[in-house]
């Protein structure tokens, strides 16, 4: 991805710092004597189910509502930013060094592994000093002349945030559709570029999800339109090139506001599917891609608690479903009889194996299965035989990659671990030959053998074994003296798999241990693992994480004075909950874009994504759900007690967890807590949920977070 060489002296200094961390354990941490901002108190009463709650900071919601306090909101956020700058001033030079150190490991001039699709090799490449990339292709073979389809470095000039994504080329290879977000609200404008003439058409379609599905006539495509207020994916529309987007026909309107919708094309190019899916229920509709004027037909009617996905192969459909199969099974049906009474089992349900995803080819089907928290890839052949692609590390992440060619016998997959950089393999499913296509290059002499990874199991309070993966530098001693950063997520059935990042080396080389806890609410150990960490069992997520922290202390990987926690978004909810439940366990906590005002957010259906979340958290309009939610929501449960040192981050334009949640939480913590520990709020005034869009800018955010941890540990270089 990147390339930069540090001057020799700076490089030597950085290496010396990594090998000899300057730690001053005996000296107290010195913070500037600065006055923290005090948010104005404007009581707002919430009365529901006979329960009255006074919210002193409800007014902070006003920025997007453009209410009378919107200016006050911005001024408060800026005051918090100024306070953070003052408190962290002594680390400015260290942050700059960390940024240079992290950036120096990145290969700036780089290129992705080309993907063959419909006669062309597609890839992206980056250049020295450039923040973005160029999206390119070559016809037929890699020695052909390069076509630069999009120069995103040029397109992004003058923008503080710029995201170009969802590239989709028409079947005749002549047109490119792509989405652009310039605000970081995940509201994309779709543009069409003629790849023969270089002209960008006037067909600009605003407020969309981004991706399109081309019909086979090369002039019609389908896209997902969003509700401009809630940002929910609400309608599927059909656009014909040259037409005014305002006249685009609505081909599907989702009535259930708890479901997400999207539109896509089958891998074999024969069907266009509309998918509607929530946490518990899904439904597909389809048309023949040769007949874009036809009406969409339901594949199988939505049924409560039944999820399914559809993949057409020669003469039949494959269906991945949890129908009468908690951990999912693979089924098939004829092309003309798609309702579930016609489904026939191909791969049976297994209580100890989660069937996660399926990649279909003409002559093969590849399953991504998860057993005991680890992924295995299983290849099914047409003759009914099968075999597994196995992996050896104690903790790793292997997953299906970009495989757009239906007729191929080559499987592309990705592999990484806490010590193995991101790696791409091509695997011949016929002769089982494997080819390394690319491994992320880490500049500066990284050697995986200098680091050790482990996988251990903590015991939760109900006896459940919680997997924890760890990595540290060789020479680490289990004596309780080392700092340890524990990461967690635990929501939506999203897996917190291990992964490599060169940024983390700045942590490990200064003596930190890094750990990931696979708490309930994820899906690492199967669907039941997810169901045991949601709705009325949500507290398992929090107690699992606490149990992991306690176990790491008991086993002397660290101690209370050196244990740190980090999580973002729904993982930020985890951070908010564990500092309420076990505040003395952590020396410091970093909560990124944290979802901490659960009750108020779930009560406001005008907030983006709220209604989609009812099956995850519950609907507080029902008393039982309200009371349970209230019992763990971090904002509701701030108390007069000592809290750990905390760094909280947010983005003003965040569409997922809006800025006012962390802002209100910090204001309430500051007014309520009894300790003298530092509490910092960083609001990125230009970005949203995912942070900076440039490939180097995010390193400044990482440098701030690491500097915060290092300051608490007395590490100065």
């Amino acid at each position: 991805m990147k390339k930069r060489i540090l001057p020799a002296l700076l490089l030597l200094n950085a290496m010396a710092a990594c090998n000899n961390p300057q730690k001053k354990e005996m000296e107290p941490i010195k913070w500037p004597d600065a006055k923290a901002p005090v948010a104005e108190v404007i009581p707002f009463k919430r009365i529901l189910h006979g329960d009255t709650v006074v919210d002193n900071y409800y007014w902070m919601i006003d920025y997007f509502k453009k209410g009378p306090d919107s200016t006050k909101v911005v001024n408060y956020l800026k005051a918090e930013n100024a306070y953070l700058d003052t408190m962290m001033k002594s680390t400015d030079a260290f942050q700059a060094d960390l940024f240079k150190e992290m950036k120096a490991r990145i290969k700036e001039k780089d290129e992705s592994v080309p993907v063959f699709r419909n006669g062309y090799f597609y890839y992206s490449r980056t250049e020295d000093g450039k923040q973005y990339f160029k999206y390119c292709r070559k016809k037929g073979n890699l020695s052909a002349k390069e076509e630069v389809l999009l120069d995103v470095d040029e397109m992004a000039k003058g923008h503080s945030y710029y995201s170009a994504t969802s590239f989709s080329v028409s079947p005749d290879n002549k047109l490119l559709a792509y989405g652009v977000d310039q605000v970081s609200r995940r509201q994309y404008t779709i543009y069409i570029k003629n790849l023969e003439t270089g002209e960008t058409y006037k067909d600009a379609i605003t407020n969309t999800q981004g991706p399109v599905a081309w019909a086979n006539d090369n002039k019609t495509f389908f896209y997902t339109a969003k509700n401009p207020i809630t940002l929910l994916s609400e309608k599927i529309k059909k656009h014909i090139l040259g037409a005014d987007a305002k006249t685009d026909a609505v081909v599907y309107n989702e009535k259930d506001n708890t479901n997400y919708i999207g539109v896509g094309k089958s891998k074999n190019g024969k069907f266009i599917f509309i998918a509607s899916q929530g946490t518990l229920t899904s439904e597909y509709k389809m048309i023949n891609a040769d007949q874009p004027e036809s009406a969409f037909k339901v594949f199988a009617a939505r049924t409560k608690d039944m999820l399914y996905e559809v993949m057409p192969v020669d003469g039949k459909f494959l269906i991945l479903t949890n129908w009468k199969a908690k951990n999912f099974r693979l089924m098939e049906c004829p092309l003309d009889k798609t309702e579930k009474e016609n489904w026939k089992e191909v791969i049976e349900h297994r209580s100890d194996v989660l069937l996660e995803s399926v990649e279909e080819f003409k002559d093969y089907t590849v399953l991504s299965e998860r057993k005991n928290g680890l992924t295995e890839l299983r290849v099914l052949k047409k003759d009914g035989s099968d075999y597994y692609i196995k992996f050896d590390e104690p903790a790793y992440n292997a997953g299906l990659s970009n495989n757009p060619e239906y007729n191929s016998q080559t499987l592309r997959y990705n592999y990484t671990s806490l010590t193995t950089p991101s790696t791409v393999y091509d695997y011949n499913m016929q002769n089982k030959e494997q080819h390394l296509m690319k491994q992320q290059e880490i500049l500066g002499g990284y050697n995986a053998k200098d680091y050790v990874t482990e996988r251990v199991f903590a015991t939760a309070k109900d006896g459940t074994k919680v997997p924890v993966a760890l990595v540290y530098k060789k020479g680490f001693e289990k004596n309780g003296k080392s700092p340890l950063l524990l990461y967690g997520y635990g929501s939506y059935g999203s897996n917190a798999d291990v992964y490599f990042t060169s940024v983390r080396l700045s942590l490990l080389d200064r003596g930190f241990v890094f750990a990931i806890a696979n708490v309930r609410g994820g899906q690492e150990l199967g669907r039941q693992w997810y169901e045991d960490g949601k709705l009325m069992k949500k507290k398992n997520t929090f107690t699992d994480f606490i149990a992991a922290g306690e176990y790491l202390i008991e086993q002397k990987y660290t101690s209370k004075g050196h244990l740190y926690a980090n999580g973002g978004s729904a993982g930020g909810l985890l951070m908010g909950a564990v500092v309420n439940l076990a505040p003395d366990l952590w020396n410091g906590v970093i909560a990124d874009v944290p979802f901490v005002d659960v009750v108020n957010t779930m009560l406001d259906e005008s907030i983006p994504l709220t209604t989609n979340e009812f099956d995850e958290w519950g609907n507080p309009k029902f008393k039982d759900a309200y009371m349970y939610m209230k019992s763990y929501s971090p904002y509701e449960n701030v108390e007069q007690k000592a809290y750990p040192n905390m760094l909280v981050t947010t983005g003003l334009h965040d569409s997922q967890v809006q800025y006012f949640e962390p802002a209100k939480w910090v204001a309430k913590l500051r007014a309520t807590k009894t300790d003298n520990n530092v509490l910092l709020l960083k609001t990125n005034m230009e970005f949203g949920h995912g942070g900076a869009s440039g490939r180097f800018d995010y390193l400044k955010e990482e440098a701030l977070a690491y500097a915060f941890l290092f300051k608490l540990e007395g590490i100065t270089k």
Side-chain angles (χ1 to χ4, degrees):
M1 286 172 54
K2 320 121 190 182
K3 181 165 190 166
R4 180 170 179 121
I5 304 298
L6 283 173
L9 181 59
L10 181 57
L11 182 58
L12 287 173
N13 288 339
M15 291 171 62
C18 291
N19 291 327
N20 299 289
Q22 303 297 306
K23 189 170 178 179
K24 303 175 182 178
E25 293 189 44
M26 302 307 294
E27 295 182 11
I29 304 302
K30 294 179 181 179
W31 296 97
D33 185 18
K35 188 175 180 180
V38 177
E40 184 176 351
V41 172
I42 305 176
F44 175 86
K45 218 174 256 189
R46 184 188 77 210
I47 303 174
L48 187 63
H49 305 304
D51 180 54
T52 300
V53 174
V54 177
D55 185 349
N56 289 331
Y57 307 105
Y58 186 83
W59 59 270
M60 290 190 184
I61 199 173
D62 265 0
Y63 178 76
F64 284 116
K65 294 184 180 293
K66 301 301 179 188
D69 293 314
S70 58
T71 301
K72 189 190 302 181
V73 168
V74 172
N75 289 339
Y76 170 70
L77 296 177
K78 287 181 176 178
E80 285 284 2
N81 281 348
Y83 176 67
L84 177 142
D85 290 342
T86 299
M87 297 299 285
M88 294 294 291
K89 183 70 176 174
S90 65
T91 70
D92 282 356
F94 193 11
Q95 287 185 54
D97 288 343
L98 285 169
F99 174 79
K100 292 175 184 176
E101 178 183 308
M102 294 170 180
K103 189 169 181 284
R105 297 191 191 103
I106 295 171
K107 186 179 180 183
E108 294 191 24
K109 186 176 182 179
D110 207 355
E111 188 174 299
S112 66
V113 181
V115 174
F116 188 74
R117 182 188 301 114
N118 195 24
Y120 285 82
F121 285 95
Y122 290 86
Y123 58 97
S124 61
R125 59 178 177 84
T126 54
E127 297 181 345
D128 289 338
K130 299 290 182 69
Q131 288 270 23
Y132 295 90
F133 61 93
K134 291 163 178 58
Y135 183 57
C136 311
R137 73 178 181 182
K138 293 181 179 180
K139 186 174 183 179
N141 60 74
L142 292 175
S143 61
K145 181 181 178 182
E146 178 183 83
E147 298 178 51
V148 178
L149 307 186
L150 291 177
D151 186 341
V152 183
D153 289 307
E154 280 296 317
M155 294 160 64
K157 283 184 177 178
H159 299 282
S160 57
Y161 180 91
Y162 197 90
S163 174
T165 187
S166 303
F167 308 134
S168 180
V169 177
S170 59
D172 63 4
N173 294 314
K174 295 179 179 180
L175 302 172
L176 170 67
Y178 60 97
V180 171
D181 175 11
Q182 299 177 13
V183 181
S184 190
R185 289 282 286 173
R186 302 190 184 184
Q187 290 175 288
Y188 291 90
T189 298
I190 295 170
Y191 296 97
I192 307 297
K193 182 176 181 179
N194 187 311
L195 300 179
E196 293 184 322
T197 67
E199 175 191 4
T200 298
Y201 292 166
K202 295 179 180 179
D203 304 62
I205 306 171
T206 60
N207 195 36
T208 78
Q209 193 81 5
V212 311
W214 286 97
N216 289 338
D217 64 0
N218 298 295
K219 67 178 182 179
T220 306
F221 62 78
F222 300 84
Y223 63 93
T224 308
K226 287 190 166 188
N227 182 296
I229 305 300
T230 66
L231 303 188
L232 292 177
S233 49
E234 190 174 61
K235 298 173 181 176
I236 303 297
K237 292 186 174 183
K238 178 172 66 176
H239 182 76
I240 300 174
L241 293 179
D244 187 338
K246 294 177 182 177
T247 67
D248 286 352
V250 176
V251 298
Y252 179 68
N253 190 0
E254 179 57 63
K255 302 297 185 183
D256 185 349
N257 62 5
T258 67
N259 273 27
Y260 294 96
I261 62 171
V263 62
K265 196 172 187 179
S266 65
K267 185 171 175 176
N268 67 2
K270 295 181 179 180
F271 296 90
I272 292 172
F273 288 104
I274 293 172
S276 174
Q277 182 165 319
T279 304
L280 302 176
T281 304
S282 60
E283 183 178 70
Y284 276 64
K285 297 175 183 290
M286 63 182 183
I287 60 170
N288 188 313
D290 291 330
Q291 301 168 0
E293 71 286 350
S294 60
F296 280 82
K297 168 193 170 185
V298 174
F299 183 88
R302 66 182 69 186
T303 303
K304 186 177 182 343
D305 297 335
M306 187 183 86
L307 298 168
Y308 70 92
E309 297 176 21
V310 181
M311 295 140 282
V313 294
D314 288 355
K316 62 185 177 182
F317 289 106
L318 294 176
I319 308 111
L320 175 64
T321 181
N322 71 341
W323 178 43
K324 298 181 180 179
K326 185 182 289 289
N327 276 339
F328 292 80
R329 56 178 168 164
L330 186 66
M331 308 189 79
E332 65 181 30
C333 70
L335 292 177
D336 58 346
K337 296 179 180 179
T338 60
E339 284 293 347
K340 66 177 183 288
E341 59 265 23
N342 301 300
W343 296 0
K344 175 185 174 184
E345 188 170 80
V346 178
I347 299 293
E348 66 181 6
H349 172 262
R350 291 151 292 168
S351 61
D352 62 338
V353 177
L354 174 67
L355 180 51
E356 286 192 307
S357 62
V358 178
E359 186 74 60
E360 74 275 25
F361 297 88
K362 179 178 175 58
D363 296 320
Y364 303 90
T365 303
V366 182
L367 311 180
S368 177
E369 301 180 343
R370 187 177 291 265
K371 185 174 184 179
N372 195 30
L374 298 176
T375 302
E376 296 176 331
L377 300 181
R378 181 181 180 185
V379 180
L380 308 179
K381 302 173 75 172
K382 267 196 170 181
D383 63 8
S385 62
D386 68 331
Y387 61 87
Y388 282 88
I389 303 173
K390 294 283 190 177
F391 309 99
D392 298 327
E393 292 189 80
Y396 61 86
N397 181 17
L400 301 172
S401 186
N402 196 348
N403 291 279
E405 281 293 299
Y406 176 67
N407 292 313
S408 177
Q409 65 177 15
T410 299
L411 170 71
R412 177 163 292 176
Y413 72 88
N414 300 318
Y415 181 90
T416 186
S417 75
L418 290 169
T419 57
T420 304
S422 177
T423 309
V424 179
Y425 289 102
D426 274 0
Y427 185 89
N428 187 303
M429 293 179 282
Q430 179 62 33
N431 59 27
K432 301 184 183 180
E433 289 183 358
Q434 179 166 282
H435 298 281
L436 172 64
M437 302 304 292
K438 182 174 184 177
Q439 185 171 85
Q440 177 190 0
E441 184 177 348
I442 312 301
L443 301 184
Y446 171 73
N447 185 349
K449 294 180 180 179
D450 292 339
Y451 303 86
V452 178
T453 182
E454 290 185 55
R455 189 168 185 247
V456 298
F457 290 84
T459 303
K461 67 177 186 177
D462 63 358
T464 300
K465 298 294 184 181
V466 179
V468 182
L470 304 103
V471 63
Y472 47 80
K473 195 164 187 181
K474 270 188 178 175
F476 161 76
E477 295 181 16
K478 287 171 59 175
N479 56 18
K481 296 181 180 180
S482 294
L484 186 149
L485 178 61
L486 179 63
Y487 172 82
Y489 188 74
S491 291
Y492 307 109
S494 180
N495 298 318
D497 286 314
V498 299
Y499 64 98
F500 179 88
T501 170
S502 64
V503 171
R504 192 186 296 133
L505 299 177
S506 294
L507 206 63
L508 302 181
D509 289 348
R510 290 177 172 83
F512 265 78
V513 179
F514 178 77
I516 298 176
N518 291 148
V519 296
R520 280 174 284 186
Q523 204 163 247
E524 295 90 351
L525 273 74
R527 188 72 175 179
Q528 190 65 51
W529 196 252
Y530 168 44
E531 293 183 1
D532 285 344
K534 61 181 285 206
L535 295 173
M536 305 299 276
K537 297 180 179 180
K538 188 63 207 170
K539 291 181 184 177
N540 285 335
T541 304
F542 317 137
T543 54
D544 282 0
F545 192 81
I546 291 169
E550 291 172 340
Y551 173 85
L552 294 169
I553 290 171
E554 289 167 6
Q555 298 299 312
K556 298 191 180 300
Y557 286 96
T558 189
S559 57
K560 278 190 177 182
H562 299 291
L563 179 60
Y564 301 88
N566 173 228
S569 196
L573 162 64
L574 173 60
M575 296 300 101
V578 300
V579 297
N580 282 333
L581 293 170
D584 65 333
L585 192 61
W586 327 96
N587 189 39
V589 171
I590 300 176
D592 295 311
V593 293
F595 174 45
V596 285
D597 192 10
V598 183
V599 177
N600 286 322
T601 290
M602 296 308 297
L603 281 169
D604 188 349
E605 295 186 14
S606 72
I607 291 176
L609 312 181
T610 289
T611 55
N612 288 127
E613 308 282 299
F614 287 151
D615 288 333
E616 182 72 23
W617 316 105
N619 187 338
K621 291 177 183 177
F622 299 101
K623 185 175 182 179
D624 287 351
Y626 169 82
M627 297 307 296
Y628 186 77
M629 210 177 288
K630 185 189 173 193
S631 72
Y632 70 74
S633 176
Y635 183 65
E636 306 274 342
N637 290 282
V638 172
E639 296 176 329
Q640 288 189 338
K641 60 186 178 186
Y643 282 84
N645 299 286
M646 296 173 65
L647 169 63
V648 182
T649 70
T650 186
L652 182 60
H653 298 282
D654 196 332
S655 62
Q656 311 301 109
V657 179
Q658 304 215 52
Y659 71 90
F660 46 79
E661 293 200 42
K664 289 171 60 181
W665 182 45
V666 167
K668 188 173 182 179
L669 278 167
R670 210 184 285 295
T672 309
K673 71 191 187 80
T674 60
D675 60 86
N676 292 318
N677 290 328
V678 69
L679 172 61
L680 304 175
L681 173 65
K682 170 67 175 179
T683 303
N684 195 311
M685 306 301 286
E686 296 178 329
F687 306 141
H689 199 65
S693 56
R695 63 189 177 119
F696 302 129
D697 285 343
Y698 84 98
L699 294 175
K700 296 175 183 177
E701 301 166 17
E702 296 281 3
L704 171 64
Y706 280 18
F708 175 75
L709 296 174
F710 293 147
K711 186 171 179 68
L712 293 174
E713 278 295 308
I715 297 172
T716 59
K717 290 184 181 179

